[in-house]
Amino acid sequence: MKALIRPGAGEKTPADGDQVVYHCTIRTLDGVVVESTRADFGVFSVNQLKLSSRSLKDWGRRVDNRARGKMLVISKPITSTVEGAATKFIRPGNGYPKRQVLGKSKMVLGLLEGIPTMLNGEVAMFRVKPELHYGEEDCPVSVADGFPKDDELHFEIELIDFSKVISEDLGVLKKVKEEGHGWEQPREPYEVKAWISGKSGDGKMIFSHTQGEPFFFTFGKSEIPKGLEMGIGTMSRGEKAVIYVTKEYLTQCPLIPSVEGIAEIHFEVELVHFVQVRDVLGDGRLIKRRLRDGRGEFPMDCPLQDSLLHVHYKGMLLNEEKTVFYDTRVDNNGQPLEFRSGEGLVPEGFEMCTRLMLPGEIALVTCPPDYAYDKFPRPAEVPQGAYIQWEIELLDYEKQKDWTGFNFREIMDDVEKIKGTGNRLFKEGKYELAKAKYEHVLREFNHVNPQDDAEGKEFSDTRNLLHLNVAACLLKIGEFRKSIEACNKVLDTNPVHSKALYRRGMAYMAAGDFEEARADFNKMMTLDESSKSTAKAALLKLKKEEQVGKQETHRRARQQFKGLFDKKPGEISEAGGSDLVQQVPDESHDGDDRDVSDGEKEHLLEATAPQRTSIWSRLWPSGRRLFTSIGLDRCTIL
């Protein structure tokens, strides 16, 4: 139960994870103070407790009046027994309020429920049953012997302040003075402008940057103390806050060159503005710097895959002159560039950054050559290996139309267009982009329902073809196992699909699973007469791959045992003895990262272990006894 004694100010209340600063006085329902943070309470001495009941009652009344301006009397006489008990559980108050973090510090349940209902400066009385305070089973807060933890108690709470916790150890705290606007907060490597001043814990001004131009710094470059940067990283544009930073987070920096002898600094910060800067690749090479904010919310209002974009852009060489090699407003009759995302129609770096923009936004993009024109048709003015800057303005974009309201024929016509684009990208070697086109259609197919057998057959055939196209893309980019899985999706519905068998066989062969590949090619010949020539060609290729594999195994075996027969018998024993036959060549010698299969191990042993009836044994029959005597009786290579 809560009773309001003094109303607070504002509208915000503490939330889970906030630090709360509060005074707490705990009383029995008779008004006896049993614990308090205030200096006015808990100052009883043993001599004072031995005063008469009447004197103690009067003394308690005066303390209550002075503390709260309200009379709270002890309703029944205090006997010597009560006095004796009181000496055991009254905790002296030192006048310092409690500092705790809601949901993290050890607190009784009643306060975890009650304090989040309070406003700043509010004073309230909570009447709490034992199971919600120290009488709770497994209560995390301990109390002294004699504390009335099995009784209902009154908790008088004054909420002095609450603030956001930035660091787990309470080394960085933030108190919001004025809310900002927008959802975005600065992070590395954003460029930030802010008014900043700092005072020590005792109120001494350390520095002030509140006139002229706002202080400018790049987030993540250690240009301001670590704790201050952590706090600013939780602010939005226009927000005003006080950030409390202890000495552990006061790193030396250009803003504060020396922090010796300072235990804590209170920073007053107004976040004036920040520029979004994105390290798109994460290695500092492809950087997008926002010059003008766009419309909407990031990333919900950014262009999606298969959107039709309209942009103006100016392309410049990253040299001292910033030579302009193309400008849509000059070289394209003032018309914007129009392209559909995901189709490889612009350099990869250009598209990656444009898809991170909002309509109306202007951005400056710095791009390395491998994401600019080294892998894209290069303008004549752009030299090989040139770094590029584009100034891009995203005017607007149109989302890919969905199939809502389309009939089956309209859907399949649209599928043919998308599939045709994917086929073009495949022929151009842009396998990832092609795969994305096929997979997009397959996702949308989940919502298509053919109405008759003819539509059902066309739908099934098209879906199978798309799965096989995905498998072909995966095969090209080296994802052999995933390619096999894509083929299995076709064979699960049609086990005699010869093209699926062929493509899966090729994937098996690329993965080194020769027996599985042979089975698929043989099955393909028995199912489809017209595919015999294709299957035979595949089997010939498979045979060559197997021969290459055996030769590689032999080469690795020779590498493994190179120089072994140049050693003396004692050196041979030290080189490995009876365990030598179990060794498998180390793939790291030739850069081959494949795991050695059981079949390869068998080939290896066959290649390195002559039969016991070999010419070596016939020419030197006593040799076996000699090697046995030196501990090499199980070394089959000898």
Side-chain angles (χ1 to χ4, degrees), residues 295-304 357-359 394 397 399:
R295 305 182 299 273
E297 295 291 333
F298 180 92
M300 291 77 73
D301 296 314
C302 293
L304 303 172
M357 296 176 66
L358 295 168
L394 176 60
Y397 68 91
K399 295 180 180 179

Side-chain angles (χ1 to χ4, degrees), residues 218-444:
T218 301
F219 207 92
K221 297 292 186 182
S222 302
E223 296 172 359
I224 61 175
K226 177 182 177 182
L228 177 58
E229 187 171 78
M230 291 168 65
I232 291 177
T234 68
M235 299 176 68
S236 55
R237 281 189 181 89
E239 181 178 329
K240 296 181 181 179
V242 179
I243 299 172
Y244 304 91
V245 182
T246 58
K247 61 181 179 181
E248 292 80 10
Y249 291 88
L250 290 173
T251 53
Q252 292 187 354
C253 60
L255 183 64
I256 307 177
S258 177
V259 295
E260 294 182 4
I262 301 176
E264 184 175 277
I265 296 182
H266 301 171
F267 294 97
E268 291 199 17
V269 180
E270 179 183 353
L271 185 55
V272 178
H273 184 65
F274 57 81
V275 174
Q276 183 200 71
V277 181
R278 291 191 178 275
D279 183 354
V280 180
L281 299 175
D283 57 8
R285 297 191 305 138
L286 180 57
I287 301 295
K288 171 185 172 288
R289 185 176 184 272
R290 181 190 291 170
L291 302 181
R292 187 180 75 189
D293 291 344
R295 305 182 299 273
E297 295 291 333
F298 180 92
M300 291 77 73
D301 296 314
C302 293
L304 303 172
Q305 181 87 348
D306 300 314
S307 295
L308 184 64
L309 289 80
H310 302 90
V311 303
H312 271 303
Y313 80 95
K314 180 166 61 176
M316 300 164 281
L317 298 178
L318 202 60
N319 53 22
E320 292 184 2
E321 298 80 15
K322 293 290 180 71
T323 306
V324 177
F325 59 84
Y326 192 83
D327 188 340
T328 53
R329 289 183 169 88
V330 176
D331 302 309
N332 199 35
N333 298 320
Q335 297 299 311
L337 171 68
E338 180 179 291
F339 70 96
R340 190 171 293 279
S341 58
E343 296 189 359
L345 299 174
V346 295
E348 188 175 0
F350 188 100
E351 178 167 331
M352 290 173 71
C353 292
T354 307
R355 289 185 58 185
L356 293 172
M357 296 176 66
L358 295 168
E361 179 181 335
I362 298 178
L364 185 66
V365 174
T366 303
C367 185
D370 52 329
Y371 281 82
Y373 294 107
D374 277 10
K375 298 179 181 179
F376 194 84
R378 194 169 67 255
E381 300 86 350
V382 178
Q384 177 80 23
Y387 276 74
I388 301 298
Q389 268 195 349
W390 292 296
E391 185 179 295
I392 305 171
E393 179 182 1
L394 176 60
L395 301 175
D396 54 37
Y397 68 91
E398 300 172 18
K399 295 180 180 179
Q400 169 76 15
K401 58 184 178 181
D402 59 33
W403 295 337
T404 303
F406 280 27
N407 59 40
F408 183 78
R409 187 74 271 135
E410 290 172 326
I411 290 174
M412 297 310 292
D413 289 344
D414 197 38
V415 168
E416 283 302 311
K417 293 178 183 177
I418 299 173
K419 186 159 63 69
T421 301
N423 294 345
R424 173 181 63 80
L425 293 169
F426 186 91
K427 291 176 182 177
E428 293 173 358
K430 299 173 181 176
Y431 305 118
E432 288 283 2
L433 293 177
K435 180 169 73 74
K437 292 292 181 184
Y438 303 138
E439 289 177 335
H440 169 73
V441 178
L442 287 169
R443 285 193 300 271
E444 294 299 319

Side-chain angles (χ1 to χ4, degrees), residues 32-33 40-49 56 59-60 63 90 92:
V32 177
V33 176
D40 291 335
F41 298 114
V43 294
F44 301 103
S45 67
V46 174
N47 291 333
Q48 286 174 319
L49 285 173
L56 183 57
W59 185 87
V63 171
I90 291 181

Side-chain angles (χ1 to χ4, degrees), residues 11-21 100-105 107 111-119 159 161-165:
E11 298 179 353
K12 297 195 71 174
T13 58
D16 193 52
D18 286 350
Q19 180 191 238
V20 289
V21 182
Q100 294 178 310
V101 179
L102 292 175
K104 295 183 179 179
S105 299
M107 299 175 67
L111 295 187
L112 285 174
E113 296 288 341
I115 290 178
T117 70
M118 301 179 68
L119 299 171
L159 183 58
D161 198 5
F162 63 90
S163 54
K164 184 177 179 64
V165 175

Side-chain angles (χ1 to χ4, degrees), residues 86-139:
T87 61
K88 295 180 180 178
F89 60 73
I90 291 181
R91 294 185 181 181
N94 57 15
Y96 294 109
K98 290 187 176 183
R99 289 176 177 264
Q100 294 178 310
V101 179
L102 292 175
K104 295 183 179 179
S105 299
K106 294 180 179 180
M107 299 175 67
V108 297
L109 291 174
L111 295 187
L112 285 174
E113 296 288 341
I115 290 178
T117 70
M118 301 179 68
L119 299 171
N120 234 359
E122 180 181 320
V123 179
M125 182 75 79
F126 296 94
R127 180 170 174 168
V128 186
K129 291 184 178 292
E131 58 268 25
L132 290 182
H133 61 66
Y134 305 98
E136 175 203 357
E137 186 177 357
D138 299 325
C139 179

